């Protein structure tokens, strides 16, 4: 059975508990998608001094996972169709835990290899969770996307905030502060186990008792679903995402907003330290930026799901990002630093949630959503991957953060332009048909 386009689960009265377990599982998977990455930023100086590496190489701690996202994302929808979403997601969490442990195990080699491995595993959740939400909660896409993004960004903020206290305050060092996030992966792994049974039953409710008559009805419906999936899958494959201008607009918006975010995750603490702030305060500023993201990711997702066009939301988010970056550039060392951080977080929350929502809003079924997500996260993260490394190179070259911040403001402006084009009320499949068939 094509796991990407199966019939949405009919959440009737008896499986309410199962629905809650599924929601908890999605939230815990989401919690693991950013915390292993955002925990690195505040520790960069400790890692750099311990391993004797340059700012450019230190920036690769954020860049390597993005390259992994770019390389592996296009392959994820195919894996899900072959093995089922639930199994692939479970396997990704197992690999994530291994990557986190390896990253802090054996010096520079383990650091880079483990970082690459955890990037591969995170790319699976990046691609499949939006598609899973569209399949399982077709009428609550905005709310569930909000739950997904809030969980992801809550733990991302927590990871940034407690990295220095764990490394220095508790004496764990940077290796221990990074290793501790394997515990979160183990919790998610345990809570996702019930979904493995659902994987083998298509989208039926796990644990539901079925009478003979119900089994017969379930079989009949499954045959209908298979027939519809074959027809729907053939139709979906006729749409070439890589030749769709709308798909490319979504992809560029995804990549540019990610570039801004990951540059801030990698270098915001160093920017503030150079402006006169101590390392502990700088780490909490990064945490605060991500805390400001949290309510905005939920609000942005819900509002986007209620609007046919998201032009005004894209504009609001991008303007906030531009104002926040300009504030850091012009008055980064002043008493207004807190204000710029909050504004930057608000804008980042809107741009990220809109990027996630566009995978569902611009497609008509879960298979299309997964393939658009795979394309957007492949090219988008490839584009974003160069940001932290280039940002660090420019700082090494100029010995300050002025030029990197100016360039990042230009990126935010370009992000608004692409997002504005991608946020009109239309589907990729409809635009392809309107242009005369297959692209």
């Amino acid at each position: 059975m094509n796991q990407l386009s199966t019939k949405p689960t009919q959440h009737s009265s008896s499986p309410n508990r199962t629905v809650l377990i599924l929601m908890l599982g999605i939230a815990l998977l989401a919690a693991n998608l950013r915390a292993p990455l955002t925990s690195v930023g505040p520790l960069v100086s400790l890692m750099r001094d311990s391993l004797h590496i340059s700012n450019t190489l230190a920036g690769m701690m954020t860049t390597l996972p993005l390259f992994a996202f770019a390389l592996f994302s296009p392959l994820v929808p195919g894996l899900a169709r072959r093995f089922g979403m639930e199994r692939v997601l479970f396997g990704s969490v197992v690999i994530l835990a291994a990557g986190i442990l390896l990253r802090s195990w054996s010096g520079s080699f383990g650091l880079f290899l483990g970082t690459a491995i955890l990037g591969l595993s995170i790319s699976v959740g990046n691609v499949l969770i939006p598609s899973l939400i569209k399949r399982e909660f077709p009428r609550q896409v905005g709310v569930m996307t909000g739950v997904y993004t809030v969980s992801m960004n809550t733990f991302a903020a927590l990871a940034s905030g407690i990295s220095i206290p764990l490394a220095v305050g508790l004496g764990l060092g940077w290796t221990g502060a990074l290793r501790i996030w394997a515990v979160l992966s183990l919790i998610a792994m345990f809570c996702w186990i019930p979904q493995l049974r659902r994987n083998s039953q298509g989208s039926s409710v796990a644990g539901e008792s079925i009478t003979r008559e119900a089994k017969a009805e379930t079989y009949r419906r499954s045959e209908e679903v298979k027939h519809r999936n074959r027809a729907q899958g053939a139709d979906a494959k006729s749409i070439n995402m890589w030749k769709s201008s709308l798909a490319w607009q979504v992809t560029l918006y995804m990549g540019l907003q990610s570039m801004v975010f990951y540059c801030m995750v990698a270098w915001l603490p160093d920017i503030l330290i150079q402006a006169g702030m101590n390392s502990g305060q700088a780490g909490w500023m990064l945490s605060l930026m991500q805390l400001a993201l949290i309510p905005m990711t939920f609000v942005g997702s819900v509002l986007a799901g209620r609007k046919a066009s998201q032009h005004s939301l894209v504009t609001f988010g991008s303007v906030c990002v531009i104002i926040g970056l300009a504030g850091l550039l012009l008055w980064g060392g002043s008493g207004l630093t807190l204000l710029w951080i909050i504004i930057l977080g608000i804008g980042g929350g809107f741009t990220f949630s809109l990027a996630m929502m566009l995978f569902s809003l611009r497609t008509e079924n879960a298979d299309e959503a997964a393939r658009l997500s795979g394309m957007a996260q492949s090219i988008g993260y490839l584009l974003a991957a160069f940001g932290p490394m280039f940002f660090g190179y420019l700082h090494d070259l100029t010995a300050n953060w002025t030029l990197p911040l100016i360039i990042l403001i230009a990126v935010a402006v370009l992000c608004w332009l692409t997002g504005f084009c991608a946020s009109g009320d239309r589907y990729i499949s409809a635009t392809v048909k309107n242009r005369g068939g297959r692209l």
Side-chain angles (χ1 to χ4, degrees):
M1 181 182 292
N2 185 334
Q3 292 292 325
L4 291 182
S5 53
T6 54
K7 181 180 179 180
T9 304
Q10 300 300 315
H11 302 309
S12 58
S13 57
S14 60
N16 283 339
R17 186 183 65 167
T18 304
V19 175
L20 292 176
I21 292 174
L22 175 59
M23 293 174 66
L24 176 63
I26 290 173
L28 286 171
L29 288 178
N32 281 274
L33 297 184
R34 293 297 178 270
L37 305 181
T38 59
S39 58
V40 172
L43 301 172
V44 164
S45 59
L46 296 177
M47 297 162 60
R48 185 178 55 210
D49 296 340
S50 172
L51 300 174
H52 307 291
I53 57 178
S54 67
N55 279 323
T56 303
L57 285 178
M60 288 187 68
M61 292 305 98
T62 303
T63 299
L64 266 180
L66 302 183
F67 279 122
F69 295 171
L71 292 173
F72 197 59
S73 292
L75 306 179
V76 173
L79 289 175
R81 280 192 293 268
R82 181 172 181 179
F83 300 107
M85 275 198 228
E86 290 82 358
R87 286 177 182 163
V88 174
L89 285 167
F90 181 80
S92 73
V93 183
V94 175
I95 295 171
L96 175 61
I100 291 172
L101 294 175
L102 178 61
R103 179 172 61 173
S104 54
W105 190 263
S106 57
S108 298
F109 176 78
L111 179 67
F112 285 96
L113 180 60
T115 298
I117 290 173
L118 69 87
L120 292 174
S121 62
I122 289 173
S123 67
V124 173
N126 285 342
V127 172
L128 292 186
I129 293 179
S131 178
L132 180 69
I133 289 172
K134 187 174 180 68
R135 188 191 78 184
E136 298 292 335
F137 303 94
R139 296 184 180 180
Q140 298 88 27
V141 169
V143 173
M144 283 305 302
T145 301
V147 170
Y148 155 58
T149 55
V150 164
S151 177
M152 180 163 49
N153 288 295
T154 297
F155 281 87
L158 178 64
S160 297
I162 68 174
S163 287
I164 292 297
L166 288 173
V168 179
L170 295 183
L172 298 179
W174 66 265
T175 56
L178 294 180
R179 191 182 302 126
I180 200 168
W181 294 104
V183 175
L184 183 62
S185 299
L186 293 175
I187 294 172
M189 200 185 306
F190 175 78
C191 292
W192 195 250
I193 289 174
Q195 309 310 320
L196 298 180
R197 184 177 177 185
R198 297 184 69 243
N199 184 92
S200 65
Q201 298 173 348
S203 58
S204 61
V205 178
E208 182 180 6
S209 60
I210 306 177
T211 64
R212 290 183 180 179
E213 295 78 7
K215 286 182 178 180
E217 178 66 13
T218 299
Y219 176 78
R220 185 185 64 80
R221 289 182 179 178
S222 69
E223 291 301 308
E224 292 178 355
V225 168
K226 288 178 182 179
H227 177 75
R228 182 171 63 252
N229 287 343
R230 285 192 291 267
Q232 189 181 59
D235 182 65
K237 290 178 182 178
S238 70
I239 301 170
N240 191 333
M241 294 286 176
W242 298 90
K243 294 184 179 180
S244 165
S245 59
L246 178 55
W248 276 102
Q249 290 159 9
V250 173
T251 296
L252 289 175
Y253 183 65
M254 175 68 198
L256 294 172
Q257 65 86 25
S258 295
M259 179 183 288
V260 174
F261 175 78
Y262 283 105
C263 282
M264 288 294 97
V265 166
W267 297 117
L268 180 60
D270 269 31
I271 292 171
L272 297 177
I273 289 170
Q274 187 166 319
M277 193 174 288
N278 66 53
S279 61
Q281 290 176 322
W284 278 111
M285 285 296 104
L286 177 57
S287 181
L288 178 63
M289 183 192 79
Q290 293 173 94
L291 286 172
L293 278 166
I294 295 168
M296 295 301 105
T297 54
F298 186 80
V299 171
S301 298
V302 172
L303 291 179
R306 294 177 178 177
K307 289 177 173 286
S309 169
Q310 294 75 40
H311 287 151
S312 60
L313 299 177
V314 167
T315 299
F316 175 79
S318 295
V319 168
C320 286
V321 170
I322 292 167
I323 290 173
L325 292 173
L328 288 177
L329 172 64
L330 300 175
W331 303 285
S334 71
L336 295 175
T337 300
L338 185 64
L339 175 63
W340 310 131
I341 295 296
I342 292 174
I343 292 175
L344 188 58
I346 290 172
F350 262 85
T351 56
F352 176 74
S353 63
L354 290 170
M356 294 295 102
M357 284 295 293
L358 288 176
F359 302 151
S360 295
L361 295 175
R362 301 285 84 89
T363 57
E364 293 188 284
N365 56 64
D367 183 77
E368 285 183 13
R371 293 193 298 115
L372 176 59
S373 178
M375 171 187 171
Q377 299 197 58
S378 173
I379 302 299
Y381 281 125
L382 181 62
L383 179 63
F386 290 99
M389 190 165 54
F390 184 58
F391 215 53
Y393 170 76
L394 288 177
H395 177 263
D396 288 341
L397 194 65
T398 63
N400 61 62
W401 296 106
T402 301
L403 181 60
L405 284 171
I406 291 173
I407 292 176
L408 208 56
I409 291 171
V411 171
V413 173
L414 186 59
C415 181
W416 169 71
L417 292 174
T418 57
F420 195 86
C421 293
S423 56
D425 181 19
R426 51 191 177 141
Y427 292 116
I428 287 175
S429 57
T431 59
V432 169
K433 292 173 184 177
N434 287 340
R435 294 177 61 178
R438 299 182 182 183
L439 285 179

